Structures are given as structure tokens and as C-alpha cells.
Amino acid sequence: MVLLMVRVTVRGYASFREILGRVDIEIVTDAETVRQLVNYLTEKYNPGFASALLDSASGEVMKGNKVLVNGRDIDFLQGLATRLKDGDRVVFFPPVGGGLSDARPLVIRRSSAGFGPRATSSVASWGSLSC
Amino acid sequence: MEFRLLRVDLTRRKTWTQTIDDATTKKFIGGRGLGLRLLYDETKAGIDPLGPENKLFFMTGPITGTTFPMSGRFHVVTKSPATGGIGDSDCGGDWGPELRFAGFDGVAIEGKAEKPTYLWINEGKTEFRDASKLWGKGVWDTEDMIREELGEPKAKLASIGPAGENSVLFASIMNDKHRAAGRAGVGAVMGSKNLKSIVVRGTGKVTVAHPEQLGAAVKNALEKIRANGLTGKTLPELGTAALVNIINEIGAYPTRNFQTGVFPTAGRTSGETMRDTILTKVKPCWGCPVACGRVTKVTTAPYQVDGEGPEYETVWSLGAMCGIDDLNAITMSHNICDDLGMDPISLGVTIACAMELNEKGKIPKDKLYGLDLKFGNPQAVVQLAYWTGYRSNFGDDLAMGSKRLAEKYGEPDLAMQVKGLELPAYDPRVVQGHGLGYATSNRGGCHLRAYMIAPEVAGIPEKLDPYQTEGKAKWVKTFQDIFSVADSLVTCKFSTFALSAEDFKELANPITGWNWSADELMETGDRIYTLERMFINREGFGRKDDTLPKRLLTEPLPEGPGKGHVNELSKMLDDYYNIRGWKDGKPTSETVSRLGLA
């Protein structure tokens, strides 16, 4: 049996970059669909990747997360069944283009009432977060 | 709910108070809507926007200064010197609430002061004060000097910088040094009246109709704002520049004057990069739980600056639009705009236009005084920001904005503008509905009249295919109407990402006592948007002006996800007019009657 291999570029932004651990990943894989690619990345790079990306009940992309293949949201292609071809670029975004995972919530300090001028929060309260 | 308007005649140096009745405020709310009603009624078509006959309204809304989340704003309404149509602009910061604490809901400026003047509003009392020694000063010095002169460190200011004094057609009005009523040249109108600043101090309270009902609605709204991915996470963490990467990835990031939609090094200027390099603090406007404002500091030569920003729009306009990926230079240019009082969107788009004109050999060398005006040169952008604010050298040409600049040098199609206002940071060849929003925006090229990026990119409130044209007209109208309400209440438009019209109703009714339904609220938005249209119709705007730059309609994107696409405006425009009850860009008499505008 001959496996058809494809070369794809993968990029995770914000929390997905942390999870995948690298900026751009060039992959040669026998994954035929986005779902198979997600499984591959979960196996090879981080066992938490699929659970951060997919809804555990439905197995589909979690609401708010976004997967683009060559700049197109897979919801307007064939979803996770979208087929991959050589040279594709696949990127993963958490909700609305950025943000951190729920596991690492941002703390914003507020004035006691939650209102009023100068309710300033400090970067120091962000701890060691980095993307 | 009555609206207490401070009337100011600068020519006669008189002030008085007008109370606007509940019936009128219920139809136009406050802010953008009520300011528009007053401007429409009190000025004639064809007046010179920079003449004493133009009026300038600073308007809060019924929710300003209350516990309604994200309500620390005010709205400026006037006739725009950039477009000749409606010129209105929204501003965050802390001035709006302070005005209400001082006993007024709005300030209406008319006439022209004989010499540079600032207006001091202190706990309901007013005083005209000499601003001669402030004329020529930047916004930041102006704030510091006036507070010191008055001995009022807590005074809040809405001021202009040299750009407003010098009639730069995209001059802004600045509050809290970095918050801007940035668009449509409202600062030039203020400068034409010799008015440097309106300074307010107040310690009163804003009363609401049913305070006992408001608490629960506010609690619910705050929970939704915190739970929303954008307002609860992305904006607090990364600021508006969180959008850089995703808009670039979908190929809608206008680059080098919209010549392409992909900027390969955009990531160097993203919200993530900003956070990891120049960010020192986040900063909210008054009463805001989101805090998207960025306090930043650049410490490395040659662009050292200690200030705020940039935001998504300025990261782009002073960055990719000019082919620049140097975040330090962008931050410097952005802060020059804040201090000199200029709109960075219009400045960047005008510079990009100039760069393309120059690369096509259209600008005589002697105009540039040796400046290397080419895409990708950050030093040129910083230099031109100064020149434009002071109208020196080639900056005098840029101060006219891109439309007049491109016409002057014989290439009008190189100006990326609608109705004379420069376009913002989304390429409508990818986001089709957003393009319809640009084309039909009453104030010209603007993303804040119908932010179709919410459904077409972010999936809020539901996900729409950006390349589809069918069904987009209805969405554009809905966004235009609810944003008209948001600007009239006056709340930050980011609140609409988390809150629905139903939520707005639940929050606004206890404050106003109007007992609105969500449908009535949306009809009020329709009324305001339609009256704006009647204002610009009166100035000669119509279907011919509801369009996009030729490049976006006829030149397909050359690369990236949008390769081969143009904006298909003609497939959406008639649908839009039908849904609005307009014909050829003008409301029909039936629509005018239905909305109570006859």
C-alpha cells in the first residue's frame, strides 16, 4: 500500500501557539483531512491539543475557536472533513483572533465597585503568560 | 428624560442653558442622534464647515456616567470639513461622565471666538478664558498647563492640538491625552472657532429613573461582557491589535495602499508582539471593565516614546498600509497623532496614497525636501506626521486628506476613501458585507457604522461567509441601526459584541424610564441613520457616492486567500436600499413618514 503524503504548514496563534510550542510547523503527513491533522498534532506535539480545539461532546470545533485552511474558515469548506493537499496552510485561532486558554485566565484588578475612573490593571498581574 | 444642553455662543461670549423635552430625546436619545437632530435643524445646507455658521455639538447620552458598563464616552457632531457631509465622532476617556457630573448633558458651540479661547465649566458655572499662550501647544502640554493654571488637577479636557488649529481636515478632538474623537475632522471645526479646549470639573451625580431595577441589569451585562471571548479575554489581554494576525491570515489586511491584502511580517506589529515588547500597563476608559487601552513605552533609538497605543487601526494605517512593520516607529507616529491632534487612520491612508503617487512619479521631487517617500520607510511616516500636523512642507498637501491629494496629483483613483473619508483596516474584496457597510456609511469610509467583521470574521452573533453577498444587506442595516443606538446612548460599540438589543433595552429602560421594546430601540436606530442620510442628501450626496474606490471594485486581489476577488457591491446595494426604504440612496417619503421625520 502506498501512502499519499502531503506537506502542510501549521501555525497556532495565541494559546494554540503555546500548546503546539512553535511558531510555524512544516509537516509531511499522511493525514488526508483536517481532523486527521488534528489527531496527528495531538499525538506528536501536545496531547492537550484536541481537547483545547474540539468540543468533547460533539467532536466538532469548539464554538469560538477557528480553523483556517489557506485563509478560509473550514466551516465554509467541509469542516473537519476538509481534505488537505500539498502546500496547504492550516492555522488555529482561539476566540476572535487571540486570547488565552481558559486554563490561564487573565486577572484584572478593579476598583471596589467595579466602576469609576482609573480602574487600572497592571501587566504584573498577568504573571508569566506569554504567547 | 430631559436633556440639559449648555449653549455657547463664542462670537458674543454668552452661555445659556436649554432643556430639550422628553418627546424629542425619546426619538433621538442623546449623543449622535440628538446632536444630529440639532445640527439638521439649526444649520443650512451648503454652509462652510470651517465657517462660524457651522455648529459643534458635544453630546453625552442618558447612560453616560451611570453604572451601565462601558458608558464613559461622548459624541461630537458637526458638519465635516473632510467630506462636506455629516461629521460625527465618538470618544472614550473621562470627559463625558465629568460633564454630566458638572450638571450638563451636552455642549453646543456656535460662532467664533475673537481670539484663542478655552471654556471652563466648573460645577455648573461657565467662564471663557484666554488660550493665547496655549495656541500652538500639543494636546499633552495643553492638558497639563490648563490644569496647573486652574489649580484643578482633576479637571477633564476635550482639546485640540496644532492640527486642529491649522485646519488639518482630519484633525481630532482629544480627551485624557490619548482618547480621540478622531474621525471626519471635528478638531478642525473646533480650531476654526478659536476654541482650544473645553475643560470640565463636576462632583454631582447622575440620576436615573429606576435605580432599583438597574442593578440587576448591570450585573447581568457585566457577566455577559466577562464571558464573551472578545470583551472578556481578547481585548483585555491583547487590545484591539489582537485582530492583526487573523485579518492578515484571511488575506484582508490592506497593504501598501490596498495593493494587496497580505502583509508577510504583520506579526511583528500584532497585539501579542506589543504585549511582549512595549506594553507597560492596560488602561480603561471611565467605568469600563474591558480596558483595551494600551500604555506603552519605546526605549530604543530612534523612536523613543512614552505614551499610549497603538490600536489595531493605527498599527495598520501607520504600518502595513505604508508597508511598515517597525512597531517602535508606528508607536511614535501614533503618539505624534495624539499630541498634535490628528486621526491616524486618515493620516496613514493619506501617506500611503502619497507613497504610491510618488512611486508612480506623480509628485515633483522639490515637494519632498529630500524625503525618501516610498513604501516601507518608517522614518518618512514619522516625519510626515510632524509636517502634516503643522502643515509644513509636503505636510500641507497631506493635510487635505487622500481624496484632494490624489486629485491634485492627477490620480484620483489612488485615494482609498469613501465620500472623502479614508477607509479603515479591512479589505472589502474579502469581507463583502463590510464593503457594503463602507459604501453606505453616511459619514464616509468607516468601520464603525456597520462592523460586519463581527459576523464575517469573528462569528458574532453568528458566523457568515465573508465571500457571500446574499443576505448581507439586512445585516448591514441591523448593525448600522444598533450602532446608531449605541452612539446615542452613548456606549462603547465593543459592548455590542457581548450585549444584544434586548440587553440594551433592559439596561436603558431603568435609566430613562421609557419602557422601550427591543423593536422600538431598533426603530430609533433606523430613524437616526435615516436622518443622517437626509442630512447628507441635503448636501448633494446620493447613490453615486455610495460606492468604493475603483481599485476595490475592479482590481482583483493579487495574492493570498482573496486572490482573484473584487468587492461585488452592485449585488448588494439595491437590496440594501429596498430594505431601508430608500431609492437611489435617498429615503422615500413613506420611509420619512414612517420614522416620524417628515
Side-chain angles (χ1 to χ4, degrees):
Chain A
M1 180 179 167
V2 178
L3 289 176
L4 290 175
M5 307 295 279
V6 292
R7 182 184 297 274
V8 296
T9 302
V10 173
R11 173 172 277 208
Y13 281 104
S15 53
F16 289 125
R17 179 168 150 193
E18 292 179 44
I19 290 169
L20 293 173
R22 290 165 61 179
V23 177
D24 279 323
I25 307 171
E26 295 280 346
I27 292 171
V28 178
T29 172
D30 62 354
E32 295 181 358
T33 65
V34 174
R35 187 184 292 280
Q36 289 172 7
L37 177 67
V38 171
N39 292 339
Y40 175 87
L41 292 169
T42 304
E43 190 179 312
K44 294 284 184 187
Y45 289 88
N46 191 323
F49 180 63
S51 58
L53 180 72
L54 306 177
D55 183 279
S56 57
S58 67
E60 297 302 314
V61 176
M62 199 182 296
K63 185 172 166 49
N65 287 337
K66 191 180 282 289
V67 183
L68 308 180
V69 175
N70 301 327
R72 282 289 273 159
D73 191 319
I74 60 168
D75 279 5
F76 302 116
L77 300 171
Q78 283 76 47
L80 289 167
T82 300
R83 297 190 72 81
L84 297 173
K85 61 182 187 307
D86 210 40
D88 279 350
R89 177 179 175 83
V90 185
V91 302
F92 300 92
F93 280 99
V96 211
L100 300 161
S101 67
D102 287 331
R104 310 181 77 178
L106 174 75
V107 177
I108 294 186
R109 289 204 300 266
R110 291 189 180 79
S111 58
S112 56
F115 286 97
R118 301 292 169 271
T120 306
S121 73
S122 155
V123 166
S125 68
W126 294 21
S128 58
L129 303 175
S130 65
C131 308
Chain B
M1 182 168 198
E2 292 178 337
F3 188 97
R4 194 171 144 84
L5 181 67
L6 175 66
R7 292 278 184 177
V8 179
D9 184 336
L10 290 169
T11 306
R12 296 188 299 136
R13 291 174 71 84
K14 300 272 187 199
T15 64
W16 66 100
T17 304
Q18 176 190 1
T19 301
I20 298 170
D21 61 35
D22 181 76
T24 305
T25 54
K26 194 172 182 186
K27 282 180 80 174
F28 297 96
I29 309 177
R32 177 175 154 196
L34 190 57
L36 166 73
R37 175 80 267 179
L38 296 168
L39 183 76
Y40 187 92
D41 291 344
E42 297 178 16
T43 60
K44 291 181 179 166
I47 62 165
D48 177 3
L50 298 179
E53 60 273 36
N54 195 7
K55 294 194 177 187
L56 183 63
F57 296 92
F58 293 76
M59 307 292 281
T60 70
I63 67 164
T64 309
T66 70
T67 53
F68 191 126
M70 305 164 81
S71 63
R73 304 184 71 85
F74 65 99
H75 210 89
V76 181
V77 184
T78 189
K79 180 176 178 180
S80 166
T83 68
I86 189 71
D88 70 286
S89 197
D90 200 57
C91 187
D94 53 19
W95 190 90
E98 193 79 5
L99 182 70
R100 296 198 84 194
F101 301 155
F104 299 106
D105 301 319
V107 182
I109 305 291
E110 61 186 73
K112 178 181 180 179
E114 192 178 10
K115 60 181 183 179
T117 298
Y118 74 88
L119 181 66
W120 170 219
I121 303 170
N122 183 17
E123 305 284 12
K125 294 176 186 162
T126 61
E127 180 185 352
F128 295 99
R129 294 182 66 95
D130 181 27
S132 298
K133 68 180 180 186
L134 300 166
W135 211 249
K137 297 288 184 190
V139 168
W140 304 349
D141 280 347
T142 298
E143 288 212 1
D144 293 342
M145 289 170 73
I146 289 179
R147 287 196 182 102
E148 186 176 344
E149 177 180 293
L150 295 172
E152 287 281 356
K154 292 183 176 176
K156 317 295 191 226
L157 297 91
S159 313
I160 57 167
E165 299 169 10
N166 296 329
S167 301
V168 174
L169 295 184
F170 43 87
S172 54
I173 295 171
M174 305 297 299
N175 166 225
D176 196 19
K177 296 188 177 177
H178 296 280
R179 305 273 77 80
R183 303 232 68 196
V186 294
V189 176
M190 191 164 168
S192 75
K193 298 185 175 305
N194 272 334
L195 183 62
K196 182 70 176 173
S197 183
I198 302 177
V199 188
V200 293
R201 179 73 183 121
T203 55
K205 288 187 175 169
V206 175
T207 56
V208 302
H210 304 295
E212 70 286 354
Q213 295 170 16
L214 183 58
V218 168
K219 185 167 178 284
N220 179 49
L222 283 170
E223 284 171 5
K224 288 188 174 181
I225 289 167
R226 286 174 189 140
N228 180 273
L230 187 55
T231 54
K233 288 170 68 175
T234 304
L235 285 170
E237 290 162 11
L238 301 176
T240 55
L243 282 161
V244 170
N245 284 325
I246 192 159
I247 301 301
N248 193 45
E249 283 285 356
I250 66 168
Y253 199 53
T255 300
R256 295 186 297 278
N257 205 30
F258 282 82
Q259 292 186 82
T260 180
V262 179
F263 191 48
T265 51
R268 294 177 187 170
T269 63
S270 68
E272 289 92 330
T273 302
M274 200 183 304
R275 186 196 58 195
D276 295 343
T277 54
I278 60 172
L279 185 71
T280 60
K281 273 198 310 190
V282 298
K283 181 179 168 185
C285 294
W286 185 94
C288 180
V290 176
C292 69
R294 310 283 97 176
V295 179
T296 52
K297 190 171 189 173
V298 175
T299 56
T300 50
Y303 302 118
Q304 296 97 324
V305 61
D306 195 352
E308 292 187 21
E311 313 299 331
Y312 170 68
E313 286 292 335
T314 52
V315 159
W316 161 77
S317 62
L318 304 167
M321 187 63 169
C322 297
I324 289 164
D325 62 7
D326 183 335
L327 183 59
N328 291 352
I330 293 167
T331 305
M332 170 66 97
S333 308
H334 170 101
N335 279 282
I336 294 167
C337 286
D338 283 359
D339 193 27
L340 301 188
M342 278 186 294
D343 171 15
I345 298 179
S346 286
L347 176 70
V349 174
T350 304
I351 291 173
C353 175
M355 286 174 162
E356 190 170 355
L357 285 167
N358 191 44
E359 291 195 354
K360 290 185 186 311
K362 299 293 180 182
I363 297 177
K365 275 198 165 44
D366 64 350
K367 278 277 179 188
L368 300 177
Y369 296 85
L371 190 73
D372 189 11
L373 183 59
K374 65 180 182 189
F375 289 112
N377 180 6
Q379 191 266 337
V381 176
V382 171
Q383 185 67 63
L384 286 172
Y386 279 119
W387 281 1
T388 304
Y390 291 106
R391 292 196 81 134
S392 56
N393 304 329
F394 188 54
D396 194 43
D397 279 351
L398 297 185
M400 302 183 299
S402 63
K403 180 171 185 284
R404 292 169 177 85
L405 179 80
E407 285 169 354
K408 176 173 178 174
Y409 291 102
E411 295 280 351
D413 292 334
L414 294 186
M416 295 298 115
Q417 53 80 31
V418 170
K419 299 184 181 76
L421 189 67
E422 285 72 20
L423 287 175
Y426 310 91
D427 196 312
R429 287 170 288 191
V430 172
V431 276
Q432 295 286 324
H434 200 63
L436 178 65
Y438 286 162
T440 59
S441 163
N442 288 325
R443 77 168 175 179
C446 174
H447 58 301
L448 295 173
R449 289 299 172 269
Y451 193 66
M452 288 294 288
I453 300 306
E456 292 186 308
V457 179
I460 298 173
E462 63 183 81
K463 199 177 270 193
L464 303 181
D465 185 341
Y467 291 95
Q468 284 289 326
T469 53
E470 196 177 335
K472 292 290 173 68
K474 188 178 175 193
W475 277 95
V476 167
K477 177 185 183 295
T478 298
F479 268 91
Q480 287 173 341
D481 291 350
I482 197 160
F483 280 9
S484 297
V485 171
D487 282 340
S488 302
L489 277 171
V490 176
T491 181
C492 179
K493 289 182 196 69
F494 290 163
S495 67
T496 63
F497 297 137
L499 306 177
S500 65
E502 193 70 27
D503 295 317
F504 272 29
K505 179 204 77 173
E506 293 295 326
L507 285 160
N509 280 340
I511 295 171
T512 60
W514 287 338
N515 198 27
W516 260 339
S517 68
D519 285 347
E520 284 175 295
L521 186 139
M522 293 303 289
E523 185 184 66
T524 304
D526 191 0
R527 179 181 303 116
I528 292 165
Y529 206 80
T530 299
L531 184 61
E532 274 182 351
R533 176 54 57 143
M534 291 164 65
F535 183 92
I536 68 169
N537 288 157
R538 200 170 72 170
E539 299 288 349
F541 291 87
R543 184 182 188 113
K544 69 183 189 314
D545 306 293
D546 287 339
T547 189
L548 294 169
K550 188 178 173 187
R551 169 167 288 168
L552 308 181
L553 296 171
T554 63
E555 290 181 26
L557 277 164
E559 60 180 336
K563 183 178 179 178
H565 288 270
V566 295
N567 184 274
E568 300 184 85
L569 179 65
S570 62
K571 291 184 179 176
M572 302 180 279
L573 190 58
D574 283 331
D575 193 17
Y576 172 83
Y577 287 155
N578 287 336
I579 290 167
R580 275 244 171 256
W582 297 358
K583 185 170 170 40
D584 289 333
K586 297 180 180 180
T588 63
S589 56
E590 292 80 9
T591 299
V592 170
S593 296
R594 175 176 60 80
L595 295 170
L597 294 169

